Amino acid sequence: MKMLNFKALMCLVFSLSAMALRAEAGTGLEVTEQQAIALFYQRNLNLIAANFNINDAQAQEIIAAAIPNPVFSFTVSSLNPNMARQPYNNAPLPAVSPQIQQLIETAGKRRLRIESSELATEAVSLDLKDTARVLTNAVRRSYYSLLLAQKVAQVASDNFERFREILRVNAIRLKVGDISATDFTRIEVESLKTQGDQDQAKSALNQARADLLLLLGWPENSLEISAVETWPEAKPEIAKAGQNQLAEQALVRRPDLQAARVRIEQAGKMLTLANRLAIPDVTVSAFYQRDPGNFFTDSGGVGISVPLPLFYRQEGEISKARVGLSSAELALKQTEQGVQAEVMKALAAWQSANAIALRFETAVVNRIETLRKAQEIAYQKGAVGLLDLIDAERNYRAMMLDYYTALANRSNAWADLLMAYGEEVKL
């Protein structure tokens, strides 16, 4: 059963997450993207709460499969108010009659209820998988935000250390009169700016850590979490697929669509059940009677009772079931259209973000690094002035921040594409 397979997947996730949870209290922990997702499955309260819907659906299965209990009755008759008086003490004893009744459901109603409840459980389990799909995207995005914050903090720290070194060297030059006080002041001001940038980057890094920890439900004493500095790689079977191919695969893979199809099947069962409710159920009864005052002291009998559907033939229930089936079919069509739109938008966003990141990787990063080193050498040799050096450092910092932002945007777009495509998380 699909629900059991999903439970096995969740057990595997929990076991892997226990392996990932290896940091001691108060110590730092470096996690990969997959480890962060595993920890999320283990600790996230929304996902755990969604599992209670499965338990409720399983309880409904038990209720649907229940067979009506027999009804036992015991009747005492032929009671005479004078039988307790002395002259009547030889009067016959009252008659007693035990009876048992059993309702027998006809036309396969119980079987239809069982099948309907099983489909409801399957739909709820698919809803849980869809919840995991959406929330996994949130974990991925928060993880990439932390990774971006780490990169920004690293650039800010490197820039600050570089200006500290420039400031130290030029302080020596100032003492020997090789640089003017005005130029030295400019370097001091720029160094203070880089220190402010470093402080802001550290604040943003702590905020990104807090956001991820909040999403993971991390213990309060484990605040030094960090992301492994590896951006996700696009899978060729998804990245190179066309829009129509991805949309067709998403229509098959997405758990929300699977749940919508299951609910249509369930609504069909409920409509069949509503039609069959017009067929009366049968109540079979049997009794035994002992009447000392009768010529035949012991007797028994059997009976059968059937309600006659003369005035009401479940028209309301049938109409309601038809509306439920139509609503389920409409919901499926709307979900299919939404999935196709999501795939189209996500693919376009990823292709655009990927193109921007590739341009940085192939044409910008190496050139800006070479330009910065060339400016430093030229400044040391006196070929360029202080302002040229400061501009080169500023441009390098701005370009690197744009580059890492492009990588983060591409990663977020890739996560959105995986969510729209309906890829299951593999740990």
Side-chain angles (χ1 to χ4, degrees):
M1 191 173 180
K2 292 183 179 179
M3 183 188 66
L4 297 178
N5 294 335
F6 182 67
K7 285 186 173 180
L9 174 62
M10 294 299 292
C11 291
L12 176 60
V13 170
F14 291 164
S15 63
L16 290 174
S17 64
M19 295 173 59
L21 189 58
R22 61 185 181 276
E24 297 180 356
T27 61
L29 176 63
E30 190 178 41
V31 296
T32 65
E33 176 186 326
Q34 296 302 317
Q35 287 172 338
I37 293 173
L39 290 169
F40 166 76
Y41 282 138
Q42 182 189 38
R43 306 183 65 86
N44 186 266
L45 297 180
N46 292 332
L47 201 59
I48 295 174
N51 192 42
F52 286 108
N53 292 331
I54 292 182
N55 296 334
D56 181 70
Q58 291 172 336
Q60 293 298 323
E61 282 190 47
I62 298 174
I63 295 174
I67 299 175
N69 290 321
V71 178
F72 175 78
S73 60
F74 187 84
T75 305
V76 179
S77 59
S78 300
L79 293 175
N80 190 331
N82 296 321
M83 26 187 342
R85 298 179 182 178
Q86 190 66 27
Y88 294 93
N89 55 5
N90 292 326
L93 296 175
V96 295
S97 177
Q99 184 177 12
I100 190 168
Q101 295 178 322
Q102 176 64 55
L103 176 66
I104 300 176
E105 293 182 295
T106 61
K109 299 187 187 74
R110 176 172 171 268
R111 177 178 56 80
L112 286 170
R113 283 201 307 270
I114 293 174
E115 292 174 353
S116 176
S117 62
E118 289 176 347
L119 290 171
T121 302
E122 184 179 354
V124 171
S125 67
L126 290 169
D127 289 340
L128 181 57
K129 292 180 68 175
D130 192 57
T131 301
R133 176 185 67 90
V134 175
L135 295 181
T136 298
N137 181 65
V139 175
R140 283 190 170 120
R141 280 181 156 268
S142 182
Y143 182 86
Y144 301 147
S145 296
L146 175 58
L147 184 52
L148 174 60
Q150 291 176 185
K151 293 292 188 181
V152 172
Q154 180 182 347
V155 171
S157 179
D158 292 344
N159 199 32
F160 174 64
E161 292 299 328
R162 186 173 297 275
F163 268 95
R164 282 185 61 185
E165 180 62 19
I166 294 174
L167 185 64
R168 184 189 68 80
V169 172
N170 283 276
I172 298 174
R173 295 179 62 190
L174 179 65
K175 290 181 180 180
V176 299
D178 194 29
I179 186 176
S180 66
T182 302
D183 287 345
F184 184 76
T185 302
R186 288 174 178 172
I187 298 175
E188 282 186 314
V189 171
E190 196 66 27
S191 179
L192 290 175
K193 289 182 179 179
T194 59
Q195 187 175 9
D197 293 338
Q198 185 183 39
D199 293 337
Q200 291 180 355
K202 288 182 179 179
S203 177
L205 177 59
N206 290 331
Q207 181 63 49
R209 282 175 177 162
D211 291 340
L212 180 59
L213 291 171
L214 180 63
L215 192 59
L216 299 182
W218 201 259
E220 294 80 359
N221 58 356
S222 299
L223 298 178
E224 294 301 321
I225 188 173
S226 61
V228 175
E229 296 193 359
T230 303
W231 299 100
E233 295 183 2
K235 298 181 179 179
E237 63 271 18
I238 300 177
K240 295 182 179 180
Q243 176 180 304
N244 293 335
Q245 181 181 358
L246 284 178
E248 290 175 359
Q249 293 177 354
L251 292 176
V252 176
R253 299 177 61 93
R254 286 274 293 262
D256 51 346
L257 281 173
Q258 296 175 15
R261 296 187 184 101
V262 170
R263 286 193 167 92
I264 288 179
E265 187 177 356
Q266 181 194 8
K269 297 286 185 182
M270 295 303 295
L271 178 58
T272 303
L273 177 61
N275 282 295
R276 293 188 183 181
L277 287 175
I279 302 175
D281 295 331
V282 176
T283 301
V284 178
S285 60
F287 71 93
Y288 164 77
Q289 186 176 46
R290 181 174 180 80
D291 187 0
N294 199 343
F295 182 78
F296 297 101
T297 305
D298 297 310
S299 62
V302 294
I304 183 173
S305 61
V306 179
L308 300 178
L310 299 178
F311 305 109
Y312 184 67
R313 296 184 56 83
Q314 308 298 320
E315 292 88 353
E317 286 79 0
I318 294 173
S319 178
K320 182 179 179 180
R322 284 202 186 100
V323 172
L325 178 58
S326 299
S327 299
E329 292 173 343
L330 178 60
L332 176 61
K333 292 180 180 179
Q334 292 175 339
T335 305
E336 287 177 343
Q337 294 174 356
V339 168
Q340 291 174 336
E342 285 182 32
V343 172
M344 182 186 303
K345 294 177 181 178
L347 181 60
W350 180 81
Q351 289 174 342
S352 175
N354 183 53
I356 295 173
L358 287 177
R359 282 196 291 269
F360 271 101
E361 292 172 340
T362 57
V364 177
V365 177
N366 293 332
R367 290 172 56 189
I368 193 65
E369 176 68 24
T370 302
L371 179 61
R372 181 178 71 157
K373 291 181 179 179
Q375 289 292 88
E376 289 179 358
I377 295 173
Y379 174 73
Q380 293 171 2
K381 294 181 178 181
V384 296
L386 177 62
L387 294 179
D388 293 327
L389 176 63
I390 292 176
D391 287 340
E393 294 294 340
R394 288 176 177 173
N395 290 335
Y396 175 78
R397 176 182 177 276
M399 279 296 181
M400 292 305 296
L401 293 181
D402 289 343
Y403 169 55
Y404 289 132
T405 300
L407 293 181
N409 290 338
R410 180 172 66 179
S411 299
N412 287 329
W414 177 249
D416 292 342
L417 181 58
L418 290 180
M419 181 181 68
Y421 172 69
E423 186 198 40
E424 292 185 9
V425 180
K426 296 181 181 179
L427 303 171

